[in-house]
Amino acid sequence: MIGDGVELGYLAPYLEGKGLGQGQVALLFTVYGITVAISSWLSGPMSQVYGPRKVMWAGLAIWGVLEVAFLTLGISTLNYPLMLVTYALRGFGYPLFAYGFLVWIAAATPAKRLGMAASWFWFAYAAGLPTLGSLTASIAIPAIGTMGTLWLSLVLVVVGGALSLMAMAKTKGGEPLTKTAESPFAAMGRSISIMWREPISTVGGLVRTVNTSSQYAFFIVLPGFFMTTIGFSLEEWLRLLTIMFLGNLVGNLASGYIGKKIGLRNTIALMGAIGTSLGILAVFYVPQMAPGNFAIASLVAIFYGIMLGGYVPLSALMPMVLPHDKAGALAVVSLGAGAATWVGPIVVAAMRPLFGLEGVMWAFVVLYLLSGALIMLVREPKV
């Protein structure tokens, strides 16, 4: 996940610096987000039929091959159509790997320990994707340049993916989850129909969509905000992004413990929905009161990151609510996680031309408060 996250903090401003318009960059991230969403949903039924282990290998192979194509055919030649196609197709890679692993965890972990298991999964996910990935970029760009850093991300993904799969070669839970022979199409059909067979799963998917939607929007809008309005350099912005998601690591683990005390649902509503809403406003307004002050910007970034971790218990709550179809429940949650990668950019594309960055921030505040109301519709079972 470090390798996958290296590009997130600087790819948008890098492409804009190469002559691409903001609309083109937003479209690139939106199309990528759509394929990520499809792949995130596929991770559940594919794990059901083929087993999480094979699904993870497939995700690793897709990411590696399409990243080479993206760098050589797209970015190197600044061929926007090829850039769009290869980056979109690469979007099928990491969700199969990451969410296939999440299904593996749900299959192998007892219900009483699933909350903390989910917390550790999202801890590792966030440690790599935005946190250490951004830190790696801030160190590597001055040393080996932007293109060199993108090639470094490929090396990190291949090495990390292969190591993790080889280390888990004999771990239980990696085999197909269904006991009877089932076609992939039947499994996909069930993972779709669960959304109306069990409407509560759709609620979980919608809440998960809101969860990280602001995060993916921030990757697009905050680099320019902090470098132009607040006065930070690219390296300072990347370090701030690292600090933001170090806070998220703390929140990911803390929410598991808090969930034990006040319940998983209450943690999502109070810490996740309300807390993140306040964090979004703080990230936008507070640094403008102290332009160039890295310490103050870091404090509000940490707060936002911690509160964002309040949604982590959702990955444990939904399989507990639907214990007869854990893979299906997680398929919908994963679909929501993937949808967040394009919902965030769409909110930016829709709101910024009309209301500016401030309007974008308030739009997300409304979405997070709505997610808090939605999660209260989910009845948490006693374990």
Side-chain angles (χ1 to χ4, degrees):
M1 296 314 293
I2 293 174
D4 193 59
V6 162
E7 69 190 34
L8 288 180
Y10 79 91
L11 185 58
Y14 172 69
L15 293 177
E16 288 176 11
K18 289 291 185 179
L20 268 65
Q22 288 184 344
Q24 288 179 302
V25 174
L27 178 62
L28 185 75
F29 279 92
T30 300
V31 175
Y32 170 79
I34 291 171
T35 58
V36 166
I38 295 170
S39 181
S40 300
W41 162 66
L42 286 174
S43 64
M46 292 300 96
S47 295
Q48 192 90 8
V49 175
Y50 298 112
R53 181 182 288 107
K54 288 183 179 178
V55 170
M56 290 175 70
W57 274 115
L60 177 60
I62 290 170
W63 203 101
V65 171
L66 270 299
E67 176 70 352
V68 172
F70 176 60
L71 296 180
T72 57
L73 303 178
I75 288 188
S76 294
T77 61
L78 288 179
N79 186 317
Y80 184 72
L82 284 176
M83 207 181 296
L84 201 62
V85 170
T86 54
Y87 197 59
L89 291 176
R90 203 202 76 184
F92 284 103
Y94 99 78
L96 292 178
F97 185 91
Y99 302 133
F101 186 35
L102 184 59
V103 173
W104 196 334
I105 290 171
T109 307
K112 289 185 177 181
R113 300 172 63 187
L114 190 53
M116 283 310 304
S119 290
W120 278 108
F121 169 84
W122 289 110
F123 175 89
Y125 182 102
L129 186 63
T131 313
L132 294 177
S134 299
L135 179 61
T136 300
S138 71
I139 296 170
I141 289 173
I144 60 176
T146 49
M147 281 300 295
T149 302
L150 289 172
W151 283 108
L152 174 64
S153 71
L154 174 64
V155 174
L156 290 170
V157 166
V158 171
V159 171
L163 281 175
S164 55
L165 282 162
M166 288 189 288
M168 297 191 299
K170 298 182 179 180
T171 305
K172 68 175 184 177
E175 62 279 352
L177 304 183
T178 180
K179 301 295 183 183
T180 58
E182 185 178 27
S183 73
F185 296 105
M188 285 188 283
R190 286 196 305 103
S191 70
I192 294 176
S193 65
I194 192 176
M195 289 190 280
W196 55 83
R197 286 188 289 105
E198 304 282 359
I200 205 67
S201 68
T202 304
V203 172
L206 290 172
V207 172
R208 182 62 185 86
T209 299
V210 174
N211 174 195
T212 47
S213 61
S214 66
Q215 172 183 319
Y216 288 99
F218 281 6
F219 293 143
I220 298 172
V221 300
L222 287 192
F225 171 70
F226 276 103
M227 288 189 286
T228 303
T229 304
I230 307 303
F232 292 167
S233 67
L234 175 60
E235 286 73 23
E236 285 176 317
W237 152 246
L238 289 172
R239 291 191 183 101
L240 182 68
L241 190 62
T242 301
I243 290 168
M244 178 184 291
F245 288 99
L246 282 173
N248 186 233
L249 299 185
V250 175
N252 288 349
L253 288 182
S255 63
Y257 290 101
I258 294 170
K260 285 185 175 181
K261 301 294 183 182
I262 67 172
L264 302 178
R265 183 184 67 173
N266 291 338
T267 302
I268 296 165
L270 297 174
M271 180 180 173
I274 296 175
T276 304
S277 297
L278 296 174
I280 290 169
L281 295 177
V283 165
F284 179 69
Y285 287 111
V286 173
Q288 294 185 68
M289 301 174 188
N293 192 316
F294 191 81
I296 289 178
S298 296
L299 287 176
V300 294
I302 289 171
F303 177 74
Y304 164 81
I306 290 174
M307 294 300 106
L308 195 65
Y311 283 90
V312 159
L314 188 66
S315 296
L317 177 61
M318 297 315 296
M320 290 166 59
V321 172
L322 299 168
H324 53 283
D325 195 353
K326 291 182 179 180
L330 281 174
V332 180
V333 172
S334 298
L335 174 62
T341 64
W342 59 267
V343 168
I346 280 181
V347 172
V348 172
M351 299 299 292
R352 186 159 62 174
L354 298 174
F355 305 105
L357 183 55
E358 186 173 23
V360 171
M361 295 300 185
W362 278 101
F364 280 113
V365 168
V366 172
L367 284 175
Y368 278 90
L369 293 178
L370 286 174
S371 77
L374 278 175
I375 198 61
M376 297 309 293
L377 299 175
V378 179
R379 181 174 297 178
E380 182 174 346
K382 293 183 179 180
V383 178

